[in-house]
Amino acid sequence: MATPIILDEQLCFSIYQAHKVFNRFYAKALAPFHLTYSQYIVLLALWQYGTLSVKALGERVGLDSGTLTPLLKRLEKDGWLSRQRSKRDERRLDVQLTAYGRDMQDKVDERVGTCMEWIGLTPDQYNHVRDAVSSVRDHLAAIPDGNFEDLPTMSN
């Protein structure tokens, strides 16, 4: 007989609940800038790496083109970034910050950084939690799809 699975003891449920709370947290923190969390992580990538192709940006932030394209159009409409065809390869669409997007980095960083203090973790604790969650993510991502074929099913 299998060991019963207790909801509140599941790491996946804890991460799921934390994800929901983080979404609410960032919605409030980013509201003055009219940014969503997904838009924020795109801006973080552009502030850190500069101009990126849409493909490279999507890989960096983990968003597919179906999600990324409307998000980029909205950020462009709101003046945060611009999209243009690469001069070296017309098939490639590059994304870069506008002057407004670059100028707003300090304001966004200050607000979100101040909010992050509310989490109540020391820098070492913060880094430890982030690294542990990243390790879980990496281990899950490395599991081959074929491994699931041998798991028990309702017919077993």
Side-chain angles (χ1 to χ4, degrees), residues 66-125:
T67 302
L68 193 55
T69 298
L71 185 152
L72 293 174
K73 286 181 179 179
R74 179 60 189 249
L75 285 171
E76 185 173 38
K77 179 179 169 275
D78 292 345
W80 290 89
L81 56 80
S82 65
R83 298 173 304 141
Q84 59 188 28
R85 292 278 165 211
S86 169
K87 293 180 176 109
R88 287 179 271 152
D89 181 353
E90 283 194 21
R91 296 171 295 175
R92 187 174 117 174
L93 187 61
D94 287 333
V95 181
Q96 63 186 15
L97 294 165
T98 61
Y100 173 77
R102 287 187 302 276
D103 292 345
M104 291 300 291
Q105 181 179 5
D106 285 342
K107 292 176 182 169
V108 174
D109 284 350
E110 181 179 6
R111 179 160 174 91
V112 173
T114 300
C115 292
M116 291 305 289
E117 294 171 8
W118 297 341
I119 291 177
L121 298 175
T122 67
D124 285 344
Q125 290 170 322

Side-chain angles (χ1 to χ4, degrees), residues 17-33 35-37 40 108-120 126:
Q17 293 289 29
H19 172 74
K20 287 176 59 178
V21 173
F22 264 111
N23 280 346
R24 279 195 307 272
F25 169 84
Y26 276 103
K28 292 174 186 172
L30 297 169
F33 306 105
L35 293 172
T36 65
Y37 178 73
Y40 171 65
V108 174
D109 284 350
E110 181 179 6
R111 179 160 174 91
V112 173
T114 300
C115 292
M116 291 305 289
E117 294 171 8
W118 297 341
I119 291 177
Y126 179 93

Side-chain angles (χ1 to χ4, degrees), residues 9-24:
E9 294 177 4
Q10 297 301 302
L11 177 60
C12 58
F13 186 63
S14 181
I15 290 173
Y16 170 75
Q17 293 289 29
H19 172 74
K20 287 176 59 178
V21 173
F22 264 111
N23 280 346
R24 279 195 307 272

